[in-house]
Amino acid sequence: MPDVVATHVDDYLCTAYAMDQDKATYITSFNPSATSNDAHHILLFGCTEPGSQEKIWNCGEMSFADDSSAQNYKSAPTCASGSSIIYAWALDAEKTELPQDVAFKLGGSTPIKYLVLQVHYANLDKFKAGETDRSGLILTKSSTPTPKRAGVFLLLTGGYIQSNTEEVFEAACRIDQDIEMHPFAFRTHAHKLGLVNSGYRVRGEGDDQEWTEIGRRSPQLPQMFYPTQNDVTIKQGDYVAAACTMYNLQSHIVRIGSTGNDEMCNFYMMYWVDGDQLLQNDVCSSSGPPRYYFGHDRDLNVDKIPETAFRVPPPPNGPAPGEPLLGGHHHMTMQHKANPRKRQHRYQYIF
Ligand code: IYT
Ligand code: CU
Ligand code: CU
C-alpha cells in the first residue's frame, strides 16, 4: 500500500498496479509484507479494468453500505471489469510458492491488465499513532514462461435462507472444454451464517457416479487458499460442484448479496494445466435456494454425495472441538440432526 491511512475499523482499501501490456509476466510466489496487527486480510485481484483511477480507493463488499462522508478515499468496486482472485492472505501466513513449474500469467495478451491489492484493516492503532501503512505482497516474477499455467475456478450461488432454518446453497457445472485441470488449492468464502463449504469433482453416471472432495472448510476460519488433500484431476465431461451449508438463527430472511449482512456462497479452486490453455468459462453459478438444488440436475446423483459434505470438518479446516462456530452460538449439534432432514428433502427432486 502506498502509505495509506484507514479511518474506520473494517476499512477495505485498494490500490492498482498496471501490468506490462507488451509482454506477459509470470508470477511464481507471493511473499506477504504484513502483520495481522494491522491487516485482517489481504486479497490480490487480477482486473481487466481497475475499480478506480485513484491511487487509493475504498473497495470491498461492505464499503457501499457505509456512509461515505467520513472516508478518506472514494468508494468504488475492486475491479470495474474482468475480476479474479489470485491470492489471499490472513493470520500471519508465511510465503506461498506455487507448485514446481506453475505460474500465473498476467499482462501481455491476457485479460489481467492490472493487479489490485485489497487490504482489510482490522484496527486503527498505527493510524492513531500518526503512522501510515505499507502492508502488501512481494511477488516473484519472471518473463520466462513456465511449463504449467495457474488459474482459478469460482463456484457461487444466488438465493436466500429463511429465518430459523438450515439451508444448503448448491452449484454445479459440467466442464465442456477439452482440458485437464489439476486442483492444488481451494478457498471458501461466506459471511456470518456459513458453517461449511465444500467442493467436488463429479465423475460418471447414475449408480457409478463418484463425488470426490476437492476441499472442505469452515468459512468462519481465515479465508485463504489452502492446499488440497487429495490428487484429483478434472477432465472434459466431469462436473465440478460446491455446497455451502448455512444456518440462519435470525428472525429475518438473509439473501445472497454484497454487504456484510447479506450472505455469499463461494468455493474457489486454484488449479494448474500443462501449457497455456486455461478454462475459458471460469465461473460456475446457480440461482441457489430455493430455486436450485443438485437434485434439479438429472446428471447429478445426490445419493452419491459424501455424508461429510454438510459437516464441519475437524481442525485445521474446522474449528477446534468446543470452540463456538458462529460468534458464540452453540448449535454445532444441529448439524447432525439437520442433515438427515435435508437429505430427505432432496429425495423430492429425484426422478
Ligand atoms: C455475490 C458473490 O458471491 N460475490 C463473491 C464472488 C465474486 C468474486 C469475484 C463475485 C465476482 C467477482 O469478480 I473475484 I462479480 C465475492 O464478492 N467474494 C468476495 C470477494 O470480495 C471477491 C470474496 O472474498 O471471495
Ligand atoms: Cu478481513
Ligand atoms: Cu462476500
Side-chain angles (χ1 to χ4, degrees), residues 14 63 126 168 170 224 235 267 275 291 302 327 334 339 351:
C14 278
S63 68
K126 74 191 292 185
V168 187
E170 299 176 332
M224 300 189 297
K235 289 192 293 216
F267 186 88
R291 278 180 56 198
V302 296
M334 300 213 69
N339 280 336
F351 300 103

Side-chain angles (χ1 to χ4, degrees), residues 57-279:
W57 71 96
N58 217 295
C59 56
E61 294 162 16
M62 284 85 142
S63 68
F64 302 106
D66 288 344
D67 73 302
S68 55
S69 52
Q71 284 172 188
N72 274 7
Y73 309 109
K74 289 185 196 161
S75 285
T78 307
C79 300
S81 71
S83 70
S84 59
I85 290 190
I86 61 180
Y87 182 69
W89 174 92
L91 209 83
D92 293 315
E94 303 281 309
K95 181 175 182 179
T96 307
E97 301 209 18
L98 296 181
Q100 186 73 45
D101 293 332
V102 178
F104 277 100
K105 183 183 184 179
L106 315 174
S109 60
T110 73
I112 302 180
K113 308 297 182 203
Y114 293 85
L115 282 175
V116 172
L117 181 75
Q118 180 193 69
V119 180
H120 174 194
Y121 289 95
N123 71 74
L124 304 175
D125 296 351
K126 74 191 292 185
F127 307 112
K128 285 183 178 146
E131 291 171 46
T132 59
D133 182 67
R134 295 183 61 82
S135 295
L137 303 168
I138 297 159
L139 308 188
T140 306
K141 65 170 192 174
S142 162
S143 55
T144 315
T146 56
K148 296 168 178 171
R149 201 64 52 245
V152 176
F153 183 60
L154 165 60
L155 295 107
L156 60 87
T157 78
Y160 57 83
I161 176 170
Q162 298 284 6
S163 67
N164 293 304
T165 48
E166 188 188 89
E167 189 55 275
V168 187
F169 293 70
E170 299 176 332
C173 292
R174 203 184 98 102
I175 302 301
D176 289 322
Q177 192 177 323
D178 181 15
I179 193 167
E180 192 170 300
M181 294 188 283
H182 302 264
F184 63 90
F186 71 100
R187 174 177 182 264
T188 62
H189 175 73
H191 299 169
K192 297 166 197 160
L193 310 185
L195 296 171
V196 60
N197 299 11
S198 52
Y200 298 88
R201 179 196 69 188
V202 185
R203 179 172 283 182
E205 284 166 27
D207 284 345
D208 296 328
Q209 191 166 81
E210 270 184 272
W211 289 59
T212 309
E213 186 178 294
I214 298 163
R216 179 164 57 103
R217 184 172 167 90
S218 163
Q220 300 305 323
L221 297 176
Q223 296 176 357
M224 300 189 297
F225 280 95
Y226 294 90
T228 55
Q229 299 302 309
N230 29 354
D231 272 319
V232 190
T233 306
I234 299 166
K235 289 192 293 216
Q236 188 173 33
D238 291 339
Y239 274 77
V240 184
C244 307
T245 304
M246 301 202 191
Y247 196 84
N248 183 11
L249 278 170
Q250 291 161 296
S251 55
H252 57 266
I253 187 171
V254 177
R255 296 172 192 282
I256 296 293
S258 60
T259 78
N261 295 326
D262 302 321
E263 263 309 332
M264 287 188 187
C265 166
N266 296 174
F267 186 88
Y268 295 85
M269 180 187 93
M270 196 177 278
Y271 66 93
W272 60 263
V273 293
D274 269 309
D276 234 5
Q277 205 53 59
L278 294 172
L279 203 62

